[in-house]
Amino acid sequence: KQEVTQIPAALSVPEGENLVLNCSFTDSAIYNLQWFRQDPGKGLTSLLLIQSSQREQTSGRLNASLDKSSGRSTLYIAASQPGDSATYLCAVITQGGSEKLVFGKGTKLTVNP
Amino acid sequence: SAVISQKPSRDICQRGTSLTIQCQVDSQVTMMFWYRQQPGQSLTLIATANQGSEATYESGFVIDKFPISRPNLTFSTLTVSNMSPEDSSIYLCSVGWTGRTNTGELFFGEGSRLTVL
C-alpha cells in the first residue's frame, strides 16, 4: 500500500529565504507525482506535475525534483514571499491501472514579513 | 486545465439530515473523483464517479452513506446521508483525463466545507 510522508509538518521562515519541502513515498512504481497548494479552508491548486520519467519541473520560483528510485521528491521555493504561506501537499499516482492520488499530510508554510 | 465549480461552498447542517454537493466542470472530463478532508488531515479518496454507472467506492466508504451520481461528463453529485458530527469535513471534487496524451494531472474544485452540529 502506497504511503506518502511529508517533512517537516510545519515550517516558518522570514521573507526572502529559499526553502525546501520534502516528500517521500514507499512504492517507487509511480505514474506521476503532483505538488499542490492549499490555502486555509480552500481547495487545491496544482503547482507542478512530474511524470515518472522526468527528474524535475520548474514554474516561476518553484522547482520540484523527483528521485523515483529512492522514493523522494523535493519542492524548492526561491525567494519566499508572505503570499507563499499555505499548506503544500504532495501526492502520487501509483502504477497499476488506478488513477487514485495518494496524499501526504502536507507541510504548513508560514513566510513572515 | 478545467474550471470546477462546487456548490454549496459551505453549509451547517443538523445531525441526521442529508446534504447533496454538486460538482460542475466547464469541459468534458474522463475522470471525476470525490475526496474528503477531515479537520487537520490530508485528503482521502471516497469514490470514483463513473458516468452512467455506479460509483466505485474505496475501503471504508459505502454507497448508502455517500451516494454519488454522474449523469454526464461534466457533472456529478455527492450526497452525505444521515450526517453526524464526524462527517464534518471539506469535500472536494477532482477531475482529470485519460488517453494517450494524458499526463495524469488532476484538478480540484474549491471544496465544500460541511459542519454538522
Side-chain angles (χ1 to χ4, degrees):
Chain A
K1 178 186 173 185
Q2 180 74 270
E3 293 183 1
V4 179
T5 303
Q6 291 187 245
I7 296 173
L11 182 63
S12 180
V13 301
E15 181 176 3
E17 270 203 12
N18 303 324
L19 56 100
V20 174
L21 308 181
N22 296 293
C23 171
S24 62
F25 44 94
T26 55
D27 185 348
S28 62
I30 64 169
Y31 182 66
N32 65 31
L33 183 145
Q34 229 173 314
W35 283 94
F36 294 91
R37 168 187 172 136
Q38 185 177 32
D39 293 288
K42 298 291 187 180
L44 276 64
T45 300
S46 179
L47 296 174
L48 288 165
L49 170 77
I50 309 179
Q51 301 281 24
S52 62
S53 59
Q54 296 174 327
R55 288 262 180 184
E56 65 177 347
Q57 284 288 330
T58 299
S59 176
R61 293 183 293 108
L62 305 179
N63 176 276
S65 67
L66 174 64
D67 183 343
K68 205 173 69 166
S69 61
S70 68
R72 296 186 181 193
S73 175
T74 60
L75 179 66
Y76 175 82
I77 302 177
S80 58
Q81 303 170 357
D84 294 331
S85 299
T87 295
Y88 291 81
L89 294 161
C90 167
V92 299
I93 292 180
T94 305
Q95 290 181 4
S98 168
E99 295 83 17
K100 297 184 293 186
L101 275 171
V102 178
F103 282 85
K105 292 187 175 181
T107 294
K108 184 176 181 180
L109 172 65
T110 303
V111 181
N112 301 301
Chain B
S1 65
V3 176
I4 306 163
S5 302
Q6 279 189 237
K7 293 181 181 179
S9 58
R10 58 177 60 227
D11 207 341
I12 300 174
C13 301
Q14 297 298 318
R15 182 195 300 257
T17 62
S18 299
L19 178 73
T20 295
I21 302 167
Q22 298 180 359
C23 177
Q24 178 74 55
V25 191
D26 69 341
S27 59
Q28 293 186 342
V29 294
T30 312
M31 302 180 291
M32 294 185 81
F33 306 93
W34 287 98
Y35 285 82
R36 179 176 74 179
Q37 186 177 31
Q38 295 177 298
Q41 302 297 314
S42 191
L43 281 77
T44 302
L45 180 64
I46 297 172
T48 302
N50 300 309
Q51 192 229 341
S53 64
E54 192 171 288
T56 304
Y57 290 85
E58 297 300 303
S59 175
F61 297 97
V62 295
I63 187 171
D64 290 346
K65 176 67 176 177
F66 297 102
I68 288 171
S69 77
R70 190 180 171 192
N72 56 51
L73 294 177
T74 64
F75 185 77
S76 178
T77 66
L78 168 73
T79 299
V80 185
S81 303
N82 188 25
M83 288 183 286
S84 67
E86 292 71 34
D87 294 319
S88 297
S89 298
I90 300 175
Y91 293 87
L92 297 114
C93 172
S94 174
V95 305
W97 292 264
T98 56
R100 284 185 304 162
T101 59
N102 174 45
T103 63
E105 188 169 10
L106 295 183
F107 300 91
F108 284 78
E110 282 294 302
S112 299
R113 178 185 286 272
L114 174 61
T115 302
V116 184
L117 302 178

